Amino acid sequence: MRILVVNPNTTASMTARIGAAARTVAAPGSEIVAVNPPSGPASIEGYYDEALAVPGLLAEIERHERDGTIAGTVIACFDDVGLDAARSVATAPVIGICEAAMQTASLLGGRFAVVTTLARSVPALERLAQRYGMAGRCRIHAAGVPVLALEDPASGAVDRVRAGIRRAIEEDGAESIVLGCAGMADLARSLTAEMGVPVVDGVTAAVKLVESLAALGLRTGKTGGYAAPLPKAR
Ligand code: 5HY
């Protein structure tokens, strides 16, 4: 099956790392198609970037779904940018990595913590936690890392993520950790071994959820809010 993984920001090096992380868990026979839009914000850090990223994301989904071979789409941005609109326009299931990671963490223990990038992303993620019914079980921490610092091994970003995880375990008693940025996707396994608690990445969790839905023969319900957009001038 072909799984579309869309990084809604325009940083190609990040898309390549997201695609590589997705391929580490994809089942034999699953093909990961990792893309980003040609224009839009280079990283998504707050509500303004989120809004600007949505048209490019939707265009990529429509373009890749046209030939009918995509079994499901992963939105590889932890803000679950454009998730509802994507579910409307797509015919195959669409999974956001925040929802995938929070649902996965909820299966691993009681309290979990999200460690994201900058403080400006925290309010949006608190809203998502509420939306997904997870607000009572998790707290969102910022590691103080700009998204694109994760692309630079010399930036010290990974050490700041480590420090954020330690703080979350000590302060919150978090029993598992969710990595709050798609640019952290390749860190989950090594940090799980290092930190002594499960560390969940949403990209890989979402790939496995798409595969599960496909295996179960389930798709997005289209009789309500996710009905296909009506034809009209736009
Ligand atoms: C992400 N931004 O996963 C989010 C994380 C954030 O460009 N990819 C981005 O900081 O909200």
Side-chain angles (χ1 to χ4, degrees):
M1 79 181 71
R2 297 179 82 222
I3 300 175
L4 178 64
V5 179
V6 187
N7 170 17
N9 78 40
T10 54
T11 299
S13 61
M14 191 165 152
T15 308
R17 286 195 305 110
I18 289 167
R23 285 180 196 106
T24 64
V25 299
S30 289
E31 180 196 350
I32 301 294
V33 181
V35 300
N36 59 258
S39 63
S43 63
I44 297 166
E45 296 172 317
Y47 297 122
Y48 180 74
D49 292 337
E50 275 190 39
L52 288 183
V54 172
L57 165 81
L58 297 178
E60 288 301 313
I61 293 173
E62 288 187 271
R63 189 164 72 83
H64 283 89
E65 272 220 340
R66 220 164 271 155
D67 68 2
T69 63
I70 297 295
T73 291
V74 173
I75 300 180
C77 170
F78 201 78
D79 304 83
D80 285 358
V81 170
L83 177 60
D84 290 316
R87 282 188 178 143
S88 306
V89 87
T91 54
V94 181
I95 308 287
I97 66 168
C98 175
E99 187 167 20
M102 286 186 176
Q103 296 293 354
T104 301
S106 79
L107 303 174
L108 301 174
R111 295 192 56 73
F112 62 93
V114 176
V115 177
T116 189
T117 52
L118 296 176
R120 58 174 48 234
S121 291
V122 170
L125 302 186
E126 287 173 342
R127 280 191 192 172
L128 289 183
Q130 257 166 5
R131 168 180 167 167
Y132 302 143
M134 298 291 173
R137 295 186 56 182
C138 73
R139 202 171 138 211
I140 319 288
H141 294 255
V145 174
V147 171
L148 295 183
L150 291 160
E151 297 306 293
D152 174 8
S155 68
V158 178
D159 281 339
R160 275 180 277 162
V161 172
R162 276 195 187 91
I165 294 174
R166 288 202 187 93
R167 201 168 58 238
I169 294 170
E170 280 165 26
E171 288 177 12
D172 303 0
E175 294 158 70
S176 66
I177 298 292
V178 165
L179 296 175
C181 179
M184 302 174 185
D186 50 359
L187 303 177
R189 293 233 176 187
S190 61
L191 289 176
T192 295
E194 195 179 322
M195 293 293 164
V197 298
V199 177
V200 180
D201 151 59
V203 173
T204 44
V207 165
K208 299 315 285 183
L209 287 174
V210 167
E211 288 177 348
S212 297
L213 292 176
L216 293 166
L218 297 172
R219 298 168 86 82
T220 306
K222 289 287 184 176
T223 53
Y226 295 139
L230 294 170
K232 68 181 78 167
R234 287 191 170 85

mmCIF file of all heavy atoms in Angstrom, residues 7-9 14 18 41-46 50 76-79 97 116-118 120-122 125 145-148 180-183, ligand 1:
data_model
loop_
_atom_site.group_PDB
_atom_site.id
_atom_site.type_symbol
_atom_site.label_atom_id
_atom_site.label_comp_id
_atom_site.label_asym_id
_atom_site.label_seq_id
_atom_site.Cartn_x
_atom_site.Cartn_y
_atom_site.Cartn_z
ATOM 1 N N ASN A 7 4.764 16.564 5.066
ATOM 2 C CA ASN A 7 5.304 17.568 5.976
ATOM 3 C C ASN A 7 4.753 18.904 5.485
ATOM 4 O O ASN A 7 5.094 19.346 4.397
ATOM 5 C CB ASN A 7 6.841 17.553 5.908
ATOM 6 C CG ASN A 7 7.445 18.738 6.647
ATOM 7 O OD1 ASN A 7 6.787 19.382 7.461
ATOM 8 N ND2 ASN A 7 8.712 19.017 6.350
ATOM 9 N N PRO A 8 3.905 19.589 6.276
ATOM 10 C CA PRO A 8 3.282 20.811 5.742
ATOM 11 C C PRO A 8 4.222 22.019 5.723
ATOM 12 O O PRO A 8 3.820 23.065 5.228
ATOM 13 C CB PRO A 8 2.106 21.069 6.687
ATOM 14 C CG PRO A 8 2.096 19.967 7.683
ATOM 15 C CD PRO A 8 3.386 19.225 7.590
ATOM 16 N N ASN A 9 5.435 21.892 6.271
ATOM 17 C CA ASN A 9 6.383 22.985 6.071
ATOM 18 C C ASN A 9 7.253 22.683 4.855
ATOM 19 O O ASN A 9 7.200 21.579 4.301
ATOM 20 C CB ASN A 9 7.178 23.312 7.347
ATOM 21 C CG ASN A 9 8.308 22.337 7.651
ATOM 22 O OD1 ASN A 9 9.015 21.883 6.761
ATOM 23 N ND2 ASN A 9 8.497 22.035 8.935
ATOM 24 N N MET A 14 13.989 18.218 6.394
ATOM 25 C CA MET A 14 13.114 17.680 7.444
ATOM 26 C C MET A 14 12.183 16.621 6.853
ATOM 27 O O MET A 14 11.953 15.565 7.459
ATOM 28 C CB MET A 14 12.325 18.823 8.083
ATOM 29 C CG MET A 14 11.594 18.454 9.339
ATOM 30 S SD MET A 14 11.090 19.969 10.205
ATOM 31 C CE MET A 14 9.657 19.344 11.047
ATOM 32 N N ILE A 18 11.787 12.778 8.084
ATOM 33 C CA ILE A 18 10.452 12.255 8.435
ATOM 34 C C ILE A 18 10.171 10.981 7.619
ATOM 35 O O ILE A 18 9.713 9.962 8.151
ATOM 36 C CB ILE A 18 9.378 13.340 8.172
ATOM 37 C CG1 ILE A 18 9.498 14.465 9.205
ATOM 38 C CG2 ILE A 18 7.982 12.743 8.143
ATOM 39 C CD1 ILE A 18 8.698 15.727 8.849
ATOM 40 N N PRO A 41 5.393 28.287 4.800
ATOM 41 C CA PRO A 41 6.404 28.556 5.823
ATOM 42 C C PRO A 41 7.465 27.455 5.907
ATOM 43 O O PRO A 41 7.148 26.273 5.761
ATOM 44 C CB PRO A 41 5.584 28.616 7.124
ATOM 45 C CG PRO A 41 4.303 27.932 6.824
ATOM 46 C CD PRO A 41 4.049 28.047 5.363
ATOM 47 N N ALA A 42 8.702 27.858 6.199
ATOM 48 C CA ALA A 42 9.817 26.905 6.313
ATOM 49 C C ALA A 42 9.685 26.040 7.560
ATOM 50 O O ALA A 42 10.215 24.924 7.615
ATOM 51 C CB ALA A 42 11.143 27.665 6.341
ATOM 52 N N SER A 43 8.992 26.560 8.555
ATOM 53 C CA SER A 43 8.686 25.777 9.758
ATOM 54 C C SER A 43 7.381 26.322 10.312
ATOM 55 O O SER A 43 6.990 27.448 9.993
ATOM 56 C CB SER A 43 9.802 25.906 10.803
ATOM 57 O OG SER A 43 9.909 27.248 11.228
ATOM 58 N N ILE A 44 6.723 25.532 11.136
ATOM 59 C CA ILE A 44 5.413 25.936 11.663
ATOM 60 C C ILE A 44 5.574 26.156 13.157
ATOM 61 O O ILE A 44 5.783 25.214 13.927
ATOM 62 C CB ILE A 44 4.354 24.875 11.307
ATOM 63 C CG1 ILE A 44 4.224 24.810 9.777
ATOM 64 C CG2 ILE A 44 3.006 25.214 11.958
ATOM 65 C CD1 ILE A 44 3.495 23.614 9.243
ATOM 66 N N GLU A 45 5.545 27.434 13.523
ATOM 67 C CA GLU A 45 5.781 27.833 14.910
ATOM 68 C C GLU A 45 4.690 28.833 15.299
ATOM 69 O O GLU A 45 4.906 30.027 15.250
ATOM 70 C CB GLU A 45 7.180 28.441 15.040
ATOM 71 C CG GLU A 45 8.279 27.423 14.734
ATOM 72 C CD GLU A 45 9.677 28.011 14.655
ATOM 73 O OE1 GLU A 45 9.846 29.085 14.049
ATOM 74 O OE2 GLU A 45 10.608 27.372 15.173
ATOM 75 N N GLY A 46 3.517 28.319 15.610
ATOM 76 C CA GLY A 46 2.426 29.196 16.029
ATOM 77 C C GLY A 46 1.311 29.282 15.003
ATOM 78 O O GLY A 46 1.411 28.772 13.882
ATOM 79 N N GLU A 50 0.715 28.110 10.980
ATOM 80 C CA GLU A 50 -0.264 27.031 10.762
ATOM 81 C C GLU A 50 -1.210 27.398 9.622
ATOM 82 O O GLU A 50 -1.438 26.613 8.706
ATOM 83 C CB GLU A 50 -1.112 26.807 12.023
ATOM 84 C CG GLU A 50 -0.527 25.914 13.049
ATOM 85 C CD GLU A 50 -1.542 25.567 14.134
ATOM 86 O OE1 GLU A 50 -2.726 25.356 13.833
ATOM 87 O OE2 GLU A 50 -1.132 25.520 15.296
ATOM 88 N N ALA A 76 2.324 15.274 8.884
ATOM 89 C CA ALA A 76 3.525 15.200 9.720
ATOM 90 C C ALA A 76 3.897 16.574 10.271
ATOM 91 O O ALA A 76 4.973 17.110 9.998
ATOM 92 C CB ALA A 76 4.671 14.581 8.930
ATOM 93 N N CYS A 77 2.980 17.136 11.042
ATOM 94 C CA CYS A 77 3.257 18.352 11.813
ATOM 95 C C CYS A 77 2.489 18.187 13.106
ATOM 96 O O CYS A 77 1.297 17.834 13.080
ATOM 97 C CB CYS A 77 2.788 19.600 11.091
ATOM 98 S SG CYS A 77 2.868 21.067 12.138
ATOM 99 N N PHE A 78 3.149 18.438 14.237
ATOM 100 C CA PHE A 78 2.533 18.099 15.514
ATOM 101 C C PHE A 78 1.330 18.973 15.849
ATOM 102 O O PHE A 78 0.555 18.643 16.737
ATOM 103 C CB PHE A 78 3.569 18.149 16.641
ATOM 104 C CG PHE A 78 3.150 17.343 17.832
ATOM 105 C CD1 PHE A 78 3.285 15.963 17.828
ATOM 106 C CD2 PHE A 78 2.575 17.941 18.930
ATOM 107 C CE1 PHE A 78 2.857 15.200 18.901
ATOM 108 C CE2 PHE A 78 2.140 17.194 20.019
ATOM 109 C CZ PHE A 78 2.284 15.820 20.011
ATOM 110 N N ASP A 79 1.138 20.068 15.115
ATOM 111 C CA ASP A 79 -0.040 20.916 15.350
ATOM 112 C C ASP A 79 -1.282 20.358 14.651
ATOM 113 O O ASP A 79 -2.336 20.980 14.689
ATOM 114 C CB ASP A 79 0.253 22.339 14.885
ATOM 115 C CG ASP A 79 1.495 22.898 15.574
ATOM 116 O OD1 ASP A 79 2.617 22.613 15.122
ATOM 117 O OD2 ASP A 79 1.331 23.575 16.591
ATOM 118 N N ILE A 97 -0.263 13.671 13.416
ATOM 119 C CA ILE A 97 0.712 12.998 14.299
ATOM 120 C C ILE A 97 0.494 13.325 15.769
ATOM 121 O O ILE A 97 0.878 12.537 16.630
ATOM 122 C CB ILE A 97 2.176 13.265 13.881
ATOM 123 C CG1 ILE A 97 2.570 14.734 14.049
ATOM 124 C CG2 ILE A 97 2.422 12.769 12.466
ATOM 125 C CD1 ILE A 97 4.091 14.956 13.912
ATOM 126 N N THR A 116 7.618 19.707 23.305
ATOM 127 C CA THR A 116 7.596 20.316 21.977
ATOM 128 C C THR A 116 8.761 21.287 21.821
ATOM 129 O O THR A 116 9.726 21.230 22.577
ATOM 130 C CB THR A 116 6.224 20.974 21.696
ATOM 131 O OG1 THR A 116 6.174 21.376 20.328
ATOM 132 C CG2 THR A 116 5.967 22.195 22.585
ATOM 133 N N THR A 117 8.660 22.159 20.850
ATOM 134 C CA THR A 117 9.772 23.030 20.471
ATOM 135 C C THR A 117 9.764 24.326 21.302
ATOM 136 O O THR A 117 10.382 24.411 22.338
ATOM 137 C CB THR A 117 9.671 23.321 18.969
ATOM 138 O OG1 THR A 117 8.341 23.810 18.686
ATOM 139 C CG2 THR A 117 9.934 22.062 18.150
ATOM 140 N N LEU A 118 9.025 25.335 20.838
ATOM 141 C CA LEU A 118 9.028 26.649 21.481
ATOM 142 C C LEU A 118 7.759 26.875 22.306
ATOM 143 O O LEU A 118 6.707 26.294 22.006
ATOM 144 C CB LEU A 118 9.115 27.751 20.415
ATOM 145 C CG LEU A 118 10.396 27.786 19.583
ATOM 146 C CD1 LEU A 118 10.305 28.875 18.508
ATOM 147 C CD2 LEU A 118 11.627 28.025 20.462
ATOM 148 N N ARG A 120 5.737 29.208 22.176
ATOM 149 C CA ARG A 120 4.622 29.715 21.359
ATOM 150 C C ARG A 120 3.753 28.597 20.785
ATOM 151 O O ARG A 120 2.624 28.838 20.370
ATOM 152 C CB ARG A 120 5.160 30.574 20.220
ATOM 153 C CG ARG A 120 6.129 29.825 19.327
ATOM 154 C CD ARG A 120 6.554 30.615 18.101
ATOM 155 N NE ARG A 120 6.952 31.955 18.420
ATOM 156 C CZ ARG A 120 6.414 33.048 17.818
ATOM 157 N NH1 ARG A 120 5.489 32.906 16.901
ATOM 158 N NH2 ARG A 120 6.837 34.233 18.127
ATOM 159 N N SER A 121 4.257 27.371 20.751
ATOM 160 C CA SER A 121 3.451 26.251 20.241
ATOM 161 C C SER A 121 2.576 25.622 21.327
ATOM 162 O O SER A 121 1.659 24.854 21.008
ATOM 163 C CB SER A 121 4.359 25.163 19.644
ATOM 164 O OG SER A 121 4.963 25.622 18.462
ATOM 165 N N VAL A 122 2.860 25.938 22.593
ATOM 166 C CA VAL A 122 2.181 25.233 23.687
ATOM 167 C C VAL A 122 0.665 25.469 23.700
ATOM 168 O O VAL A 122 -0.102 24.500 23.829
ATOM 169 C CB VAL A 122 2.843 25.572 25.050
ATOM 170 C CG1 VAL A 122 2.015 25.051 26.214
ATOM 171 C CG2 VAL A 122 4.256 24.988 25.099
ATOM 172 N N LEU A 125 -1.166 23.316 21.276
ATOM 173 C CA LEU A 125 -1.130 21.885 21.625
ATOM 174 C C LEU A 125 -2.034 21.593 22.824
ATOM 175 O O LEU A 125 -2.631 20.512 22.901
ATOM 176 C CB LEU A 125 0.303 21.430 21.887
ATOM 177 C CG LEU A 125 1.270 21.660 20.711
ATOM 178 C CD1 LEU A 125 2.626 21.047 21.006
ATOM 179 C CD2 LEU A 125 0.711 21.090 19.405
ATOM 180 N N VAL A 145 13.423 25.022 21.745
ATOM 181 C CA VAL A 145 14.163 24.672 20.533
ATOM 182 C C VAL A 145 13.377 25.154 19.306
ATOM 183 O O VAL A 145 12.268 24.680 19.069
ATOM 184 C CB VAL A 145 14.323 23.135 20.434
ATOM 185 C CG1 VAL A 145 14.959 22.720 19.129
ATOM 186 C CG2 VAL A 145 15.114 22.595 21.617
ATOM 187 N N PRO A 146 13.923 26.076 18.495
ATOM 188 C CA PRO A 146 13.246 26.400 17.230
ATOM 189 C C PRO A 146 13.188 25.151 16.340
ATOM 190 O O PRO A 146 14.118 24.328 16.383
ATOM 191 C CB PRO A 146 14.150 27.470 16.604
ATOM 192 C CG PRO A 146 15.017 27.966 17.718
ATOM 193 C CD PRO A 146 15.162 26.830 18.685
ATOM 194 N N VAL A 147 12.120 25.010 15.560
ATOM 195 C CA VAL A 147 11.948 23.784 14.754
ATOM 196 C C VAL A 147 13.186 23.499 13.902
ATOM 197 O O VAL A 147 13.701 22.381 13.872
ATOM 198 C CB VAL A 147 10.687 23.901 13.858
ATOM 199 C CG1 VAL A 147 10.622 22.752 12.860
ATOM 200 C CG2 VAL A 147 9.421 23.930 14.718
ATOM 201 N N LEU A 148 13.713 24.518 13.233
ATOM 202 C CA LEU A 148 14.814 24.256 12.292
ATOM 203 C C LEU A 148 16.144 24.003 12.994
ATOM 204 O O LEU A 148 17.090 23.503 12.359
ATOM 205 C CB LEU A 148 14.914 25.374 11.259
ATOM 206 C CG LEU A 148 13.673 25.459 10.339
ATOM 207 C CD1 LEU A 148 13.850 26.535 9.272
ATOM 208 C CD2 LEU A 148 13.344 24.114 9.702
ATOM 209 N N GLY A 180 7.008 16.344 20.595
ATOM 210 C CA GLY A 180 6.037 17.277 20.037
ATOM 211 C C GLY A 180 6.475 18.007 18.801
ATOM 212 O O GLY A 180 6.141 19.184 18.626
ATOM 213 N N CYS A 181 7.186 17.327 17.918
ATOM 214 C CA CYS A 181 7.549 17.927 16.623
ATOM 215 C C CYS A 181 7.942 16.807 15.670
ATOM 216 O O CYS A 181 8.652 15.869 16.057
ATOM 217 C CB CYS A 181 8.725 18.888 16.772
ATOM 218 S SG CYS A 181 9.250 19.650 15.217
ATOM 219 N N ALA A 182 7.495 16.916 14.416
ATOM 220 C CA ALA A 182 7.850 15.896 13.419
ATOM 221 C C ALA A 182 9.353 15.825 13.210
ATOM 222 O O ALA A 182 9.891 14.768 12.855
ATOM 223 C CB ALA A 182 7.143 16.203 12.097
ATOM 224 N N GLY A 183 10.037 16.924 13.458
ATOM 225 C CA GLY A 183 11.487 16.944 13.300
ATOM 226 C C GLY A 183 12.228 16.146 14.360
ATOM 227 O O GLY A 183 13.448 16.021 14.312
HETATM 228 C C1 5HY B 1 6.082 20.351 13.603
HETATM 229 N N1 5HY B 1 6.216 22.646 13.526
HETATM 230 O O1 5HY B 1 5.873 19.212 13.978
HETATM 231 C C2 5HY B 1 5.688 21.569 14.364
HETATM 232 C C3 5HY B 1 6.130 21.597 15.784
HETATM 233 C C4 5HY B 1 5.817 22.907 16.494
HETATM 234 O O2 5HY B 1 7.194 22.793 11.455
HETATM 235 N N2 5HY B 1 6.633 20.761 12.439
HETATM 236 C C5 5HY B 1 6.726 22.138 12.392
HETATM 237 O O3 5HY B 1 6.748 23.584 16.882
HETATM 238 O O4 5HY B 1 4.648 23.260 16.665
#
